Amino acid sequence: MAYFLSLPADAGVRHILQLNPAAGRALIEFHEALLRSDSQLKSREKELIAAYVSGLNDCAYCYGVHAETAAAFGVDPAIFEEMLADIDTARVDARLKPILKFARQLTLEPSRATQAQADAVFEAGWTERDLHDAVLTVGLFNLMNRLLEGHGVKGSAALFAERGQALKEAGYAPLLGHLPLP
């Protein structure tokens, strides 16, 4: 049950964003611009990072939605628990592991991120744009995790499956239709 009486029992992101439509619109547009524009880091990897960060933060809603979205993009669902347990042994592309380690650092102890961690990302063949997109994704989902948790919104398995498939198929832009026009 959401903490805000104005939110329905089955509240989701779209309901929270309606509380401040201008901010909601900007946030949805940011999601679309970041998560559906490709650098070498594709949408499936960004959704995997979103789920990973959300799992680290124990945000059931974002973890559920973005694990389902990544799965819809073809990521093996078993990977998420493996990643949360140990990135080194998780069955994730070795090239992605330095980015995931950096994501973990930025989520759990951001002030302790190091040049060596960034260099490991570059040594794996990623560009500055790729790391920038990863950092933006980590920042966005740390924000989103706090937004959902701060409103007391938890979601359900049915909602996660429905939203995950919808986000894979149509991206984030359709969420703008839930907000009043400016």
Side-chain angles (χ1 to χ4, degrees):
M1 188 75 175
Y3 302 147
F4 288 52
L5 296 177
S6 63
L7 295 175
D10 66 342
V13 170
R14 68 188 182 281
H15 300 102
I16 293 170
L17 298 182
Q18 290 171 355
L19 295 172
N20 182 334
R25 183 169 298 285
L27 198 50
I28 292 167
E29 289 171 350
F30 183 61
H31 275 76
E32 184 71 22
L34 172 61
L35 300 172
R36 292 302 177 264
S37 66
D38 287 341
S39 49
Q40 284 188 84
L41 201 60
K42 304 295 183 206
S43 293
R44 78 181 254 135
E45 286 89 14
K46 291 175 191 174
E47 292 290 348
L48 183 134
I49 293 167
Y52 181 56
V53 167
S54 299
L56 291 171
N57 283 324
D58 201 25
C59 178
Y61 186 98
C62 293
Y63 178 75
V65 168
H66 296 284
E68 287 286 344
T69 307
F73 275 108
V75 174
D76 179 355
I79 299 243
F80 301 108
E81 292 301 322
E82 293 175 15
M83 289 176 8
L84 290 169
D86 184 0
I87 286 294
D88 289 322
T89 60
R91 291 174 296 121
V92 177
D93 180 0
R95 190 166 172 252
L96 193 56
K97 288 183 180 186
I99 287 179
L100 294 170
K101 289 178 181 181
F102 201 81
R104 181 180 181 85
Q105 185 70 55
L106 287 177
T107 298
L108 301 178
E109 298 178 296
S111 66
R112 295 182 186 256
T114 66
Q115 182 67 53
Q117 290 169 317
D119 289 343
V121 172
F122 301 136
E123 289 166 10
W126 299 102
T127 66
E128 286 187 2
R129 165 69 193 278
D130 301 326
L131 182 55
H132 176 70
D133 283 357
V135 169
L136 285 173
T137 303
V138 170
L140 175 59
F141 280 90
N142 275 288
L143 166 68
M144 293 304 294
N145 297 163
R146 282 139 184 86
L147 185 71
L148 274 291
E149 292 298 324
H151 287 83
V153 174
K154 304 297 182 187
S156 66
L159 178 130
F160 304 154
E162 181 266 318
R163 291 302 312 138
Q165 191 61 41
L167 289 173
K168 191 264 182 192
E169 290 173 4
Y172 294 84
L175 289 170
L176 291 169
H178 294 282
L179 298 173
L181 294 174

